[in-house]
């Protein structure tokens, strides 16, 4: 009876009825995207997708505008839409077509992230009513090192600048057929896994297509399209209200990458944030030129970082769709480290530079909203890649990211041992790792916790993970915050830096740089200690009467 009365009241109030219908539409689309993800995870072959769940799924309207993005990987929020638009522009859409791509300069992010786009046709129509897309990180797509995230230098500092051609198989938007499936698989060191993971991506999109067709059959195409427009408009209104609630002004913030992977010098990443009424400008044009190493990012990464930060500031009820970005202008400079152009190497830009972009955006927002923004989290995905040959001659390749410490914030201390910001993957279970690969995990636990002081919300601790290799192989580490630290806010302490260490068969320890490729022999080990998060204290208690801008964390220069 209560439900009937509420429904009747909603129908009596047109605005409330529209809001209710829009929310139902949003939840239906979100459920479809989540179900796509569940299908992809269950059907995948590789541990990277099945165990770590390094993938994202989303639903787009007929114009390629993102309607929902499942709660998967934040770095894909602003970049998957670029892939869908690139696919629409490059390939004529008809029933049965699937478009495959991974080119960072044509809608992708880095080469291991492989995107599949499928149009959704309603019977009787000659144009798509929707598109579904999923992006999955394939553990190896060729290139000069196992895992396709090469480090430009070895443990002795020897190496050379890299280009996109060193990083693996690169594909502009192309209609998928059997010949392309095989070409893609054979480019990898592990072709069977690539075939299986790609088929899982296809299965996920097929499910999305069928669910959307059923939704349109039930509701009608015109009403569904109107609800999609209303959902985008709702996100825009919510974002404009958020921006209008912030003070008008311009704030700047700079943090640093440890290095570019080839040289040793820190790389500054500056941003300027302007709030004017219900609009915002996020300006990265002062970023330096692209670098010889692999830390370059494409513009889609910058869009993802902005999308993520403002989405977090808006709260849990904010829809993740294209409407959110309408009031926000993102400025980048072509040829810079965050708007790289061919032939720049970009493999680490997606996983590491993206994290620092979040840090600088939040550093600027902390000056506009000092009581709402946390200190910096660990600032690295702590990428570990290894591969080699099994005794029977078959190859093995594994890729994983490691958790770190979250930044302390207004609500309390930062969590320890969690994946933060642009990564949202899971831990690879030790049981799965040791079952599938010739490695033993000897140590896995939290790093020592940061000391606390009254009135300070401490940053979370990182983790320590040690891999003992049972067979010879090659290892690549692509990590950050080894010489810089996650900044604390308002005078609170910075986070602890991470460390990488090589252990020989007798456990003699040798420090390793943050980005390195090396050969390991059977019995040797690699130990990774990930960074902790920065601490936070209320701005009004910042020592010496510092303003939020003065104490927002400009202590991010490299430290010994």
């Amino acid at each position: 009876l209560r439900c009937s009365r509420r429904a009747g009241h909603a129908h009596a109030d047109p605005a409330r009825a529209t809001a209710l219908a829009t929310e139902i539409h949003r939840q239906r689309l979100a459920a479809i995207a989540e179900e796509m993800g569940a299908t992809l995870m269950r059907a995948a072959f590789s541990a990277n997708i099945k165990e770590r769940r390094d993938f994202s799924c989303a639903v787009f309207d007929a114009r390629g505008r993102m309607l929902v993005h499942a709660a998967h990987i934040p770095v894909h929020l602003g970049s998957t839409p670029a892939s869908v638009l690139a696919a629409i522009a490059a390939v004529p859409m008809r029933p049965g077509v699937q478009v495959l791509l991974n080119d960072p300069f044509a809608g992708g992010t880095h080469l291991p992230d492989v995107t599949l786009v499928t149009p959704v046709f309603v019977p009787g129509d000659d144009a798509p009513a929707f598109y579904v897309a999923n992006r999955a990180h394939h553990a190896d797509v060729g290139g000069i090192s196992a895992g396709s995230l090469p480090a430009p230098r070895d443990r002795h500092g020897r190496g050379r600048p890299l280009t996109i051609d060193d990083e693996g198989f690169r594909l502009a938007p192309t209609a998928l057929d059997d010949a392309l499936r095989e070409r893609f698989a054979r480019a990898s060191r592990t072709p069977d896994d690539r075939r299986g993971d790609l088929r899982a991506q296809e299965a996920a999109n097929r499910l999305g297509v069928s669910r959307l067709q059923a939704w349109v059959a039930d509701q009608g195409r015109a009403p569904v399209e109107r609800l999609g427009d209303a959902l985008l408009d709702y996100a825009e209104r919510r974002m404009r209200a958020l921006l209008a609630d912030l003070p008008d002004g311009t704030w700047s913030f700079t943090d640093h990458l440890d290095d570019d992977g080839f040289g040793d010098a820190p790389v500054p990443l500056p941003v300027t944030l302007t709030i004017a009424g219900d609009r915002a400008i996020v300006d990265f044009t002062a970023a330096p030129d692209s670098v010889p190493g692999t830390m370059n990012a494409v513009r889609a990464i910058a869009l993802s970082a902005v999308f993520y930060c403002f989405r977090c500031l808006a709260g849990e009820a904010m829809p993740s769709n294209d409407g959110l970005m309408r009031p926000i202008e993102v400025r980048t400079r072509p040829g810079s480290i965050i708007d790289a152009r061919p032939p720049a190497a970009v493999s680490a830009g997606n996983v590491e530079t993206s994290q620092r972009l979040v840090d600088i955006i939040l550093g600027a927002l902390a000056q506009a909203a000092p009581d709402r923004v946390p200190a910096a989290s660990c600032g690295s995905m702590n990428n570990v890649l290894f591969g080699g040959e099994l005794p029977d001659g078959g190859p093995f390749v594994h890729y994983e990211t490691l958790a770190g410490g979250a930044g302390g914030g207004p609500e309390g201390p930062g969590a320890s041992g969690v994946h933060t910001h642009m990564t949202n993957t899971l831990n690879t279970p030790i049981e799965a790792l040791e079952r599938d690969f010739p490695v033993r995990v000897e140590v896995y636990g939290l790093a020592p916790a940061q000391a606390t002081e009254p009135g300070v919300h401490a940053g979370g601790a990182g983790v320590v993970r040690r891999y003992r290799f049972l067979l010879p192989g090659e290892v690549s580490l692509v990590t950050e915050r080894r010489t810089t630290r996650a900044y604390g806010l308002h005078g609170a302490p910075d986070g602890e830096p991470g460390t990488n260490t090589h252990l020989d068969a007798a456990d003699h320890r040798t420090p390793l740089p943050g980005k390195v490729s090396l050969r390991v022999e059977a019995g040797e080990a690699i130990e990774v200690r990930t960074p902790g998060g920065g601490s936070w204290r209320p701005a009004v208690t910042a020592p010496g009467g510092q303003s939020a801008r003065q104490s927002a964390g400009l202590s991010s220069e490299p430290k010994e």
Side-chain angles (χ1 to χ4, degrees):
L1 179 61
R2 185 180 298 116
C3 292
S4 299
R5 285 174 178 171
R6 286 179 177 173
H9 181 71
H11 286 299
D13 182 346
R16 187 175 180 185
T18 299
L20 179 61
T22 302
E23 181 63 15
I24 292 171
H25 185 61
R26 171 193 172 191
Q27 297 294 344
R28 180 65 176 264
L29 295 180
I32 291 171
E34 292 287 353
E35 190 179 5
M36 289 170 60
T39 298
L40 176 51
M41 181 270 295
R42 289 195 301 266
F45 276 39
S46 67
N48 189 53
I49 298 175
K50 182 176 290 295
E51 302 287 355
R52 293 186 57 250
R53 304 187 188 182
D54 194 346
F55 59 79
S56 290
C57 300
V59 177
F60 300 77
D61 70 6
R63 294 163 57 183
R65 300 177 299 180
M66 187 169 68
L67 295 173
V68 297
H69 186 285
H72 292 152
I73 309 298
V75 77
H76 298 161
L77 281 167
S79 54
T80 306
S83 294
V84 172
L85 293 176
I88 293 171
V91 178
M93 295 295 171
R94 62 181 186 278
V97 163
Q98 301 180 90
V99 182
L100 192 70
L101 70 144
N102 73 341
D103 188 346
F105 308 109
T109 51
H110 65 174
L111 299 181
D113 277 347
V114 177
T115 304
L116 188 70
V117 181
T118 306
V120 180
F121 283 86
V122 176
D125 287 354
D126 56 3
F130 294 97
Y131 294 87
V132 293
N134 69 71
R135 171 172 289 168
H137 185 117
H138 286 250
D140 184 88
V141 292
I144 63 172
S145 67
S148 308
L149 270 74
R153 299 192 299 175
D154 64 18
R155 60 191 297 187
H156 305 293
R158 299 176 302 224
R160 62 178 175 84
L162 299 182
T163 71
I164 189 71
D165 295 328
D166 295 310
E167 296 183 317
F169 180 85
R170 177 178 164 201
L171 182 70
T174 306
L176 181 62
D177 58 19
D178 289 340
L180 179 56
R181 284 189 194 91
E182 194 60 19
R183 184 158 64 96
F184 169 70
R186 289 191 175 279
S188 171
R189 293 167 175 80
T190 50
D192 288 343
D193 281 1
R194 300 291 70 74
R195 294 184 188 98
D197 287 346
L198 183 54
R199 289 293 190 182
Q201 290 185 259
E202 294 179 61
N205 275 12
R206 280 197 301 271
L207 183 138
V209 169
S210 66
R211 294 291 189 264
L212 286 166
Q213 288 173 335
W215 183 230
V216 173
D218 181 63
Q219 299 291 312
R221 177 165 180 173
V224 167
E225 289 179 341
R226 286 196 297 270
L227 288 170
D229 291 339
L231 185 57
L232 295 169
D233 293 342
Y234 171 66
E236 178 183 0
R237 290 196 303 273
R238 287 286 305 273
M239 181 50 61
R240 289 189 183 278
L242 168 71
L243 295 174
D245 191 48
L246 296 175
D248 286 359
T250 297
W251 300 272
S252 296
F253 193 89
T254 299
D255 202 342
H256 294 76
L257 298 169
D258 290 346
D259 52 66
D260 75 342
F262 181 69
D264 295 321
V267 181
L269 289 182
V271 68
T272 298
L273 168 67
T274 299
I275 306 291
D278 64 353
R279 295 193 59 82
I281 299 172
V282 185
D283 191 338
F284 299 106
T285 55
D289 291 343
S290 58
V291 294
T294 61
M295 298 294 286
N296 303 295
V298 294
R299 176 177 162 83
I301 301 301
L303 294 174
S304 289
V306 173
F307 193 122
Y308 168 77
C309 290
F310 281 88
R311 169 68 180 77
C312 288
L313 198 64
E316 293 182 4
M318 169 66 77
S320 294
N321 65 41
D322 274 5
L324 181 153
M325 290 293 286
R326 288 174 180 172
I328 304 173
E329 179 185 352
V330 180
R331 296 176 180 174
T332 58
R333 180 174 62 85
S336 70
I337 191 174
I338 55 174
D339 191 351
R341 299 301 165 96
V346 299
S347 57
N350 180 60
V351 291
E352 295 300 291
T353 305
S354 66
Q355 296 284 61
R356 196 65 71 256
L357 292 178
V358 169
D359 290 340
I360 63 174
I361 297 165
L362 292 181
L365 282 170
Q367 300 168 56
D371 296 325
R372 299 171 64 177
V373 177
S377 292
C378 72
S380 178
M381 295 192 194
N382 303 293
N383 305 270
V384 178
L385 308 97
F386 57 81
E389 295 290 331
L390 297 169
D392 63 3
F396 66 91
V397 176
H398 179 60
Y399 165 70
E400 67 180 21
T401 57
L402 300 183
E411 302 300 322
S416 296
V418 294
H419 290 269
T420 59
H421 293 324
M422 299 301 270
T423 177
N424 190 33
T425 59
L426 300 183
N427 160 75
T428 308
I430 293 173
E431 297 84 353
L433 193 64
E434 295 184 344
R435 178 195 65 208
D436 293 345
F437 304 104
V439 65
R440 292 289 178 266
V441 178
E442 294 183 334
V443 175
Y444 191 33
L446 292 178
Q450 187 180 53
T452 59
E453 58 183 275
V456 170
H457 296 164
V463 303
V464 180
R465 188 151 160 119
R466 184 190 300 166
Y467 309 80
R468 184 76 63 177
F469 295 93
L470 307 182
L471 292 174
E474 58 177 314
V475 176
S476 294
L477 303 177
V478 181
T479 63
E480 270 285 319
R481 292 296 195 202
R482 268 54 183 174
T483 57
T484 64
R485 299 173 182 242
Y487 59 76
L489 278 179
H490 318 310
D494 297 338
E496 292 296 319
T499 59
N500 302 331
T501 306
H502 172 264
L503 295 86
D504 65 16
D507 281 351
H508 296 131
R509 302 171 68 90
T510 303
L512 294 172
K515 303 166 189 68
V516 62
S517 292
L518 68 156
R519 180 79 182 173
V520 292
E521 300 301 328
E524 296 182 343
I526 297 292
E527 181 178 286
V528 179
R529 173 175 168 169
T530 67
S535 296
W536 185 94
R537 77 167 83 231
V540 294
T541 64
Q546 291 175 307
S547 69
R549 179 170 184 172
Q550 290 170 324
S551 61
L554 297 177
S555 56
S556 57
E557 294 283 358
K559 295 184 178 181
E560 296 298 331

